[in-house]
Amino acid sequence: MRGSIGSMLLDRLQQLGVSRIYGVPGDYNLEFLELIERTPGIAFIGTCNELNAAYAADGDARMTGIGAVLVTYGVGDLSALSAVAGACAEGVPVVVISGMPPMHAIGSRALVHHTLADGDYGNVMACYRQFTVASTRLQPATAVAETDRVLHAVQTLKRPVYIQFPSDICYVGIDVPPPPSAIVVSDPDLLAQAAGWVVQRIAQARQPVVLVDAMVRQYGLHDLVLRLCTQHGIPYAALSSARTLLPETGALWLGPYGGQASAPGVADYVKNADCVIGLGVRFVDSTSGYFSQELQPGALIDVQPFSLTCDGKNMQGITAADLLGAVGRNISGKQPARPALPVSPDHAVLASSGAQPWGQAVFWQQVEAFLRPGDIVGADNGSSMVAMLHARLPAGCSLLVQPVWAAIGYSLPASLGACLAQPDRRHVLFIGDGSFQMTAQELSTLLRHRCNITIFLINNGGYTIERMILGPQAAYNDIANWNYAALPAAMGGDAAAILSLKAENQAELDTALAQVAQHEGLAFIEVGFTPMDAPAGLEVMGRAVRRYDYGIETPESF
């Protein structure tokens, strides 16, 4: 079949499930944008800058399985790069397409704008190679093969890839064969052997447990993991990078796990387990209570996307999906007696206003009562994420957080992507004032697309997460105090469709929550606190960071 390079790329993206491409127009990508405008089934979502576009593609990908972003060469590439690195760190498949100068300019080393004016067209590619699993520059002779190679990598490895698209080749005609299969098949003999190791360990275990990490989201393993645990009575716990991937209710839900930052019963249960099935587990400082995880020697069965390490033996050539399926089929149906799971403390919701003094302790308890089953809940790094990682969320909620890369400002544009990916669900975002100021522009895009989202702006006068580490009174942790509640109207939203409120005490919060519960569309609630008011977990985190980064327990300034 004949087609153009541009149409081939769009067809391949649609076949992977891409229906939205986020980005910013630039003179090197305009012809490709013209093609997108004429292509049914795929839409361009213009954002305020490329960083936010890549964050939005990340949020979309976490809901749908893949995201895409379009930038222009140089300035757009490097603007998006921090978000792309975050997607790499968190295991999010995002396709980055960069409209670059025409091939004749590249070939002649022309000194054009958006470059360093030195004729070097390799430096941006060198940057992207550090944060992607595959990259390429398309040219007519190899466009199909290179596109398929890179898109195979994003499907298989579930991390970002990068495609440079010279501006003058969009409509060049080429032969376009059907796309190749991207299915990875395990070696059957190795799979049987690996499954046998795991089955034997589970059968011998007195106290097994499954630790869930982001791999379960990346490879769609939810049903396989839940079936294994349910059929064989194995409890499971989730690292912060995997919250809400499996049901957080029921007899087998152990609780959130983060080393000694976990509830005591959860930490002790994992510590005493003689069989810990780790599903893509990475013990990062922010997901392990600053490396406070404790496992019995030899207890860990380390299941990674394409390998297994068990009892000191490593097996390659198998997929996690095939392994979980084979283990589930081969374990005896009889469930042995297991130790009782720890009982997690109840999260008491305030029954009436005035029960406690106003502060974040009151606010977050009220928030738990406000959330509904099925909500998509975004929380930015800092007070919001710490509170949500300790919250008991309703059934069917999805938690959108970035605990590994931990870039403040991530959650607002990521929520844009999540809203557009799943518009039929209610979206709720919690974001601090410092985080909001990083990416506030995308509030205008949420309004432009009439997203159904409630945004709680936590205004505590600056960087409280940093104050908890060092400098509680320092000027460097202060920021300008915007009139946040006035911003939705200023950013072009339909005033009749916007609900914008402030809450400085519990009575005002009660009134705001009642109004929001009846509102469809964008609601914005600015909630005010003092600078050092924070969830209890944030102070604990601050001490851990201070000790790890600076080797001190409590500085004189506290």
Side-chain angles (χ1 to χ4, degrees), residues 196-211:
W197 294 349
V198 179
V199 167
Q200 183 179 22
R201 283 291 305 277
I202 293 174
Q204 294 171 346
R206 178 190 60 82
Q207 185 169 316
V209 67
V210 168
L211 288 185

Side-chain angles (χ1 to χ4, degrees), residues 127-146:
C127 293
Y128 265 82
R129 285 196 182 109
Q130 314 308 311
F131 305 105
T132 57
V133 292
S135 57
T136 191
R137 177 180 298 162
L138 296 186
Q139 51 186 307
T142 57
V144 175
E146 283 296 285

Side-chain angles (χ1 to χ4, degrees), residues 443-465:
L443 179 61
S444 65
T445 314
L446 286 162
L447 289 163
R448 179 183 179 188
H449 290 277
R450 300 180 180 274
C451 293
N452 181 26
I453 184 169
T454 298
I455 300 173
F456 290 92
L457 188 286
I458 313 302
N459 185 354
N460 46 20
Y463 301 122
T464 295
I465 186 172

